[in-house]
Amino acid sequence: MFLPKNTYELLDFGSGRKLERIAGVIVDRPCPAAEGFSKNQPTLWREATTRFAANGHKGWQHLQTLPHAWEFSFSEISLLLRPTPFGHIGVFPEQMVNWEWFSTLAIDPAETKRCLNLFAYTGASSLVLAQAGWHVTHVDASRPTLLWARENSAHSGLDAAPIRWIQEDARRFVEREIRRGNQYDLILLDPPSYGHGPKGEAWDFEHDMPELLASVFELISDSSVGVLWTGH
C-alpha cells in the first residue's frame, strides 16, 4: 500500500454531502452522489475543519485553523492542498486506484514511453507516471492550475522530470497533434461537465466529448497501453 495511514478516509456521506479526512483535515463538502441517503453519524459532522457551502452562504467556512502546510502524499509524490472557489482542494482521492496502476508501469531507462494527460489538473497522474519513467505531456486550460501542477512537481523533487507543461484547450491540442503525426502510448482524460479554454472556448461534456474521444484514438500508438477516461 502506497499511502500513509489516514491520508484519506471517507468518514460519512448523506443529504447531498460527504465528510472526508484528507491529510488530517476533516472536509465537509457537496456530493451529488450522496443525494437521497441519510447521514450515518450526524454528530461526527460537527468535527469538520472546513465546510464548503454550495447554497446560501457560498464558499468555504473554516471552522478550525487549516494547517500551514497542507499536503497529500502518495508514494514519493507530495501535492500541496488549498481550498478553491469551486469546492476543490487540489486532489481527487478517488483517482488513487489509477495512481497505483501507473506505479506498476515502470519504464526501463533504455525505453521511451509517452503519455498525454488531458484536463490534467494539479498534476498527480503526471507526476506518478513521470516518477515511473514516462515522458508526459500535461495539458490543462487553466493557467493557475497549471502553475499549481508545476509547484507540485517542484515540491515532489521532479523539476527535471520529462514533463511538458501545456496551457491549451484539449480539443485544439489534440487536433494539432494529429496534424503533426504525433502518437502516445497512454492517454488520460478526466474532463469536467462544463469549462472554458484559455481563449474562452466553451466546453460542454455531452456535446464535445464524443468528438474528442474519437480524435484521441487517432493519437494512440500501435504499442499503446490504452486510453483511460475518468469522470464524475
Side-chain angles (χ1 to χ4, degrees), residues 77 79 90 117 120-128 138 145 148-149 152 165:
I77 301 302
L79 306 175
N117 189 5
Y121 195 47
T122 58
S125 294
S126 296
L127 298 181
V128 174
H138 175 110
T145 303
W148 193 346
N152 285 334
W165 307 98

Side-chain angles (χ1 to χ4, degrees), residues 18 29-33 86-88 91-95 119 121 189-194 203 205-206 209 229-232:
K18 58 184 175 180
R29 54 182 172 165
C31 175
F86 305 103
H88 300 158
V91 65
F92 291 109
E94 62 269 26
Q95 293 281 350
F119 310 99
Y121 195 47
L189 307 93
D190 187 21
S193 298
Y194 300 97
W203 164 266
F205 180 87
E206 291 190 8
M209 189 61 192
W229 165 20
T230 57
H232 60 281

Side-chain angles (χ1 to χ4, degrees), residues 186-228:
L186 175 62
I187 300 179
L188 313 179
L189 307 93
D190 187 21
S193 298
Y194 300 97
H196 291 89
K199 297 181 181 178
E201 306 94 331
W203 164 266
D204 179 274
F205 180 87
E206 291 190 8
H207 179 268
D208 297 313
M209 189 61 192
E211 183 178 348
L212 175 61
L213 194 59
S215 297
V216 156
F217 278 95
E218 295 186 49
L219 294 177
I220 282 292
S221 71
D222 292 337
S223 58
S224 71
V225 173
V227 172
L228 177 63

Side-chain angles (χ1 to χ4, degrees), residues 55-72:
N55 300 306
H57 175 81
K58 278 199 166 187
W60 291 93
Q61 299 168 283
H62 300 318
L63 309 174
Q64 301 177 40
T65 303
L66 291 176
H68 176 68
W70 187 17
E71 302 177 17
F72 183 94

Side-chain angles (χ1 to χ4, degrees), residues 17-70:
R17 304 186 69 84
K18 58 184 175 180
L19 188 70
E20 309 159 284
R21 181 183 284 113
I22 305 172
V25 174
I26 299 180
V27 180
D28 172 359
R29 54 182 172 165
C31 175
E35 295 285 358
F37 295 92
S38 298
K39 297 173 180 177
N40 289 321
Q41 303 181 70
T43 58
L44 185 60
W45 295 69
R46 299 173 192 163
E47 299 181 18
T49 308
T50 186
R51 177 184 298 124
F52 186 81
N55 300 306
H57 175 81
K58 278 199 166 187
W60 291 93
Q61 299 168 283
H62 300 318
L63 309 174
Q64 301 177 40
T65 303
L66 291 176
H68 176 68
W70 187 17

Side-chain angles (χ1 to χ4, degrees), residues 2 71-81 90-91 95 98-107 115-139 145-165 186 188:
F2 294 101
E71 302 177 17
F72 183 94
S73 299
F74 178 88
S75 185
E76 297 176 31
I77 301 302
S78 185
L79 306 175
L80 299 167
L81 305 185
V91 65
Q95 293 281 350
N98 294 326
W99 304 337
E100 290 181 358
W101 175 48
F102 299 156
S103 296
T104 70
L105 302 178
I107 303 302
C115 170
L116 173 60
N117 189 5
L118 300 171
F119 310 99
Y121 195 47
T122 58
S125 294
S126 296
L127 298 181
V128 174
L129 282 162
Q131 189 180 56
W134 285 71
H135 290 236
V136 180
T137 299
H138 175 110
V139 181
T145 303
L146 194 71
L147 292 174
W148 193 346
R150 298 195 72 160
E151 189 180 1
N152 285 334
S153 176
H155 195 64
S156 300
L158 291 170
D159 305 61
I163 304 174
R164 285 199 301 157
W165 307 98
L186 175 62
L188 313 179

